[in-house]
Amino acid sequence: MAFSPDGKHIASGDGENTVRIWDAEDADELMTLNGHSEAISAVQFSPDGKRLVSGSWDDSLKVWDTDRGQLLLTLTGHKRDVTSVAYSPDGKLIASASEDGMLCLWNAQSGKKLNSSRQHEHSVTAVAFSPDGKRI
């Protein structure tokens, strides 16, 4: 679950492969985003709130337009379930973690994988950027 930067919306993912965007004030469902083939494990709004990234047990990330509910990008490269996603503070990068022990860094506009690192023997369960965006 994640709040939008302005606090007006909440994104959630579920075991039915669906991402939902809710009104944070009255809990009305505003949008349903379908595209993953397995459970949603992570969601995160971009810093400007215009995009949302979702991670799934289908080993992929998807980037959505939050105004239109349109799928913009599908990011593939993990070999196991995606467990965590994060936008950089400037919104230019997305980091992802997976049960394959990999951390991946992606261009948030093009979806191109910029870097990957397998520093862990087991699952990586969380990923975050430092406030200045220089460290993951």
Side-chain angles (χ1 to χ4, degrees):
M1 188 170 90
F3 277 91
S4 62
D6 64 7
K8 293 181 180 180
H9 300 106
I10 299 169
S12 66
D14 64 30
E16 296 179 354
N17 318 339
T18 304
V19 176
R20 299 177 197 280
I21 298 179
W22 309 84
D23 183 290
E25 185 73 24
D26 58 22
D28 285 340
E29 184 178 324
L30 303 174
M31 197 174 296
T32 301
L33 308 173
N34 294 300
H36 284 287
S37 61
E38 295 201 31
I40 311 304
S41 51
V43 291
Q44 182 67 54
F45 283 94
S46 62
D48 63 7
K50 294 181 179 181
R51 290 182 172 204
L52 178 82
V53 62
S54 56
S56 170
W57 292 358
D58 66 10
D59 311 340
S60 75
L61 292 81
K62 294 193 182 290
V63 178
W64 309 88
D65 177 300
T66 58
D67 289 328
R68 297 175 294 177
Q70 179 182 358
L71 177 61
L72 300 174
L73 300 167
T74 298
L75 290 58
T76 59
H78 285 290
K79 293 176 177 48
R80 301 234 359 241
D81 303 353
V82 175
T83 55
S84 183
V85 295
Y87 268 98
S88 62
D90 63 7
K92 294 181 180 179
L93 302 171
I94 296 170
S96 60
S98 172
E99 287 187 1
D100 61 11
M102 298 280 293
L103 289 172
C104 293
L105 190 64
W106 313 83
N107 179 301
Q109 294 301 311
S110 70
K112 179 181 177 186
K113 188 181 346 178
L114 302 174
N115 198 352
S116 61
S117 174
R118 189 171 194 289
Q119 299 293 323
H120 300 271
E121 274 188 48
H122 302 287
S123 299
V124 180
T125 58
V127 65
F129 281 89
S130 62
D132 64 6
K134 293 182 180 178
R135 291 172 282 162
I136 299 174

